[in-house]
Amino acid sequence: MATTATAQQEPILTVQRGAIAQAISVTVDQASVLQSSVGISELSLANPRIADVAVLSDQSLYVLGRAPGRTTLTLIGLNNELVANVEIRVTPDLAEFKERLSDILPGENIEVRTAGAGIVLSGRVSGARKVSQALELAEQYAPENVTNLMTVGGSQQVMLKVRFAEVARSVSQNLGLGLGITDQDGHFTGTFGSATAAAPLPGTDTLSIGASTTGQLGALFQLGDIGIEIAIDALETEGLLRTLAEPNLVALSGEGAEFLAGGEYPVPVTGEDGAISVEYKPFGIQLAFTPTVVDDDLINLQLLATVSSINSSLTVTGANGISVNGLISRSTQTTVEMRDGQSFAIAGLLQDDFSDEISKIPFLGDLPVLGALFRSTEYSRSQTELVILITPYLVSPTDGELLSLPTDRVRIPNERELFLLGQTIGQSDAIAAQDFEGEYGYVLE
């Protein structure tokens, strides 16, 4: 019984590891020759896709690297005993990769290491575009097995300065004639022409010109029982609109930022169930951009810039009786690249609108010379010039004490300054303490 118990405790299978040989390293598509101190009758390779082994003699082996990775080579001696297990490590061709990397990106401090079957890149690189180039090259030597530990040096914060400059000019001229006729008893009346004229009431001498009398001239007289009112409308208007906006915004490289200086206009919206809800449409100065520092001072910008205002002359009335004004909008969306401090005119508009209109009495308005009394002419012309400029800057944070705010130089006046001296802004001590030399302040011409 004791013999049987002892037999049951003995292991059925034992693992023979053999002599532990030092791991050998082979580069992809390159070979090494192994020499053995004892004769080898058989060999076994765990993964032939990583390496290829050929027998040169009973003590010499030829090892060729095929793909990055690790595998095990088992050697059997002449007496069928286990000689050794050899670990074969196949690595990418780092020597060639480093040469190509140095040729493509000279001067960049990029360290190249192997990790398993892959490549690890580390170091400080001057730009994001060079990081992409290094990774793309590494993929040729270790496809889908590249680890990026590189960091981008230099300033990675971008301040974008946008300038909207718009000038709109308008000119309009209007010359019209209006004529109103009625008899004493009011049996017949008549008016014609574009100027404001009304048939005079019977037995009255009241002149009716209209609500707006700017540029209008009227006359009322009687011819027997017929009253005649003549109105002449002659008006010329000129207008000028100047718009200048300079929003500035700072964002981190690769991150988006948005800016809005204006407001939100409520717009009623009727739902499918008939309920009325309110949606808010932003208006004013809007800026959204995403900067990417691709090189030392080369900046890629994805930009959306808009300037909008409420147009009181355009009104839409919905089915619910609510009136909504329209919006005047000038916007641009683009992607550009430029260096630190450079400027681009990314959008421009030159618009010239002209219109004229002639209203006349048939036949009478076509008469030579006298026909001018029976027709009215309207003329209008508007010109718009718009330019949008952008300038990116690489910036770094500074000490908060070195920055000043617009409110730092404005002080609330005390009672004496407000009531006795009539000053709406008190004298700031910060301004008084400054030593100004030369010209300073704002100059308006």
Side-chain angles (χ1 to χ4, degrees):
M1 296 296 294
T3 305
T4 304
T6 302
Q8 291 178 351
Q9 294 177 358
E10 293 179 356
I12 300 176
L13 182 64
T14 60
V15 178
Q16 296 184 0
R17 300 184 181 276
I20 303 299
Q22 184 178 2
I24 64 173
S25 179
V26 182
T27 305
V28 174
D29 295 332
Q30 294 187 8
S32 297
V33 176
L34 300 182
Q35 293 289 341
S36 176
S37 58
V38 298
I40 299 174
S41 61
E42 296 182 10
L43 58 85
S44 176
L45 187 62
N47 191 348
R49 292 176 297 180
I50 294 179
D52 190 9
V53 180
V55 178
L56 299 180
S57 66
D58 59 349
Q59 293 183 340
S60 300
L61 301 176
Y62 179 84
V63 180
L64 174 65
R66 290 189 174 273
R70 292 185 180 185
T71 187
T72 303
L73 174 64
T74 302
L75 303 178
I76 305 299
L78 298 177
N79 298 326
N80 293 328
E81 74 277 7
L82 179 62
V83 175
N85 285 324
V86 181
E87 182 182 90
I88 300 177
R89 181 186 305 168
V90 181
T91 61
D93 191 355
L94 296 185
E96 181 183 1
F97 172 60
K98 291 180 180 179
E99 293 178 1
R100 298 294 177 266
L101 193 62
S102 178
D103 294 338
I104 296 175
L105 300 175
E108 296 296 334
N109 185 21
I110 301 178
E111 299 180 1
V112 182
R113 300 183 180 87
T114 59
I119 297 178
V120 178
L121 302 180
S122 61
R124 192 176 181 86
V125 187
S126 60
R129 176 171 294 180
K130 294 181 179 179
V131 172
S132 301
Q133 293 174 346
L135 293 176
E136 184 176 354
L137 181 62
E139 286 288 337
Q140 304 298 322
Y141 293 87
E144 299 181 358
N145 204 353
V146 179
T147 302
N148 177 25
L149 299 180
M150 295 180 289
T151 59
V152 180
S155 177
Q156 294 299 300
Q157 297 181 106
V158 180
M159 183 187 75
L160 183 64
K161 179 180 181 181
V162 181
R163 285 175 285 176
F164 296 86
E166 180 181 12
V167 175
R169 308 177 186 90
S170 62
V171 176
S172 64
Q173 294 177 345
N174 183 19
L175 178 61
L177 174 68
L179 182 63
I181 302 175
T182 184
D183 66 338
Q184 183 69 20
D185 298 328
H187 295 301
F188 70 90
T189 60
T191 60
F192 60 88
S194 64
T196 303
L201 296 177
T204 64
D205 56 356
T206 302
L207 186 64
S208 176
I209 292 244
S212 177
T213 59
T214 304
Q216 293 185 358
L217 176 64
L220 176 64
F221 57 89
Q222 297 284 337
L223 293 178
D225 294 337
I226 298 177
I228 300 176
E229 178 182 343
I230 298 177
I232 299 176
D233 187 0
L235 183 64
E236 179 179 358
T237 61
E238 295 183 2
L240 175 64
L241 173 65
R242 176 182 180 270
T243 301
L244 177 63
E246 296 188 7
N248 298 332
L249 189 60
V250 178
L252 186 65
S253 176
E255 300 293 333
E258 297 181 357
F259 174 90
L260 172 62
E264 293 186 340
Y265 184 68
V267 177
V269 178
T270 303
E272 297 180 356
D273 56 353
I276 299 177
S277 60
V278 177
E279 291 185 359
Y280 290 90
K281 303 295 183 180
F283 70 93
I285 302 170
Q286 302 176 66
L287 175 62
F289 82 109
T290 302
T292 303
V293 181
V294 297
D295 210 338
D296 296 330
D297 59 349
L298 184 63
I299 304 170
N300 178 282
L301 290 175
Q302 297 180 5
L303 174 69
L304 172 61
T306 303
V307 172
S308 58
S309 58
I310 298 177
N311 183 10
S312 58
S313 62
L314 177 60
T315 303
V316 178
T317 303
N320 48 21
I322 301 177
S323 298
V324 179
N325 291 329
L327 295 176
I328 300 175
S329 179
R330 287 84 72 200
S331 64
T332 180
Q333 182 174 1
T334 185
T335 301
V336 294
E337 281 189 0
M338 64 188 73
R339 297 196 178 276
D340 177 28
Q342 292 182 336
S343 297
F344 253 140
I346 61 170
L349 171 65
L350 178 60
Q351 183 176 352
D352 191 348
D353 298 330
F354 169 80
S355 65
D356 58 1
E357 181 180 353
I358 297 178
S359 301
K360 62 184 178 180
I361 300 174
F363 305 112
L364 296 179
D366 297 329
L367 294 176
V369 184
L370 295 179
L373 301 176
F374 300 96
R375 64 174 178 259
S376 61
T377 304
E378 295 181 3
Y379 158 87
S380 64
R381 183 178 184 181
S382 61
Q383 293 179 328
T384 301
E385 298 181 35
L386 171 66
V387 176
I388 301 178
L389 304 177
I390 61 170
T391 305
Y393 297 96
L394 293 174
V395 295
S396 300
T398 186
D399 189 354
E401 297 180 355
L402 301 178
L403 302 177
S404 61
L405 300 176
T407 54
D408 295 341
R409 299 185 179 184
V410 177
R411 183 177 61 82
I412 299 176
N414 54 34
E415 289 80 359
R416 185 183 69 86
E417 294 171 335
L418 180 61
F419 293 103
L420 297 181
L421 302 180
Q423 297 179 353
T424 58
I425 300 177
Q427 180 66 35
S428 174
D429 296 336
I431 296 180
Q434 294 179 8
D435 183 15
F436 294 101
E437 295 182 0
E439 298 181 354
Y440 61 90
Y442 296 93
V443 178
L444 299 179
E445 297 181 354

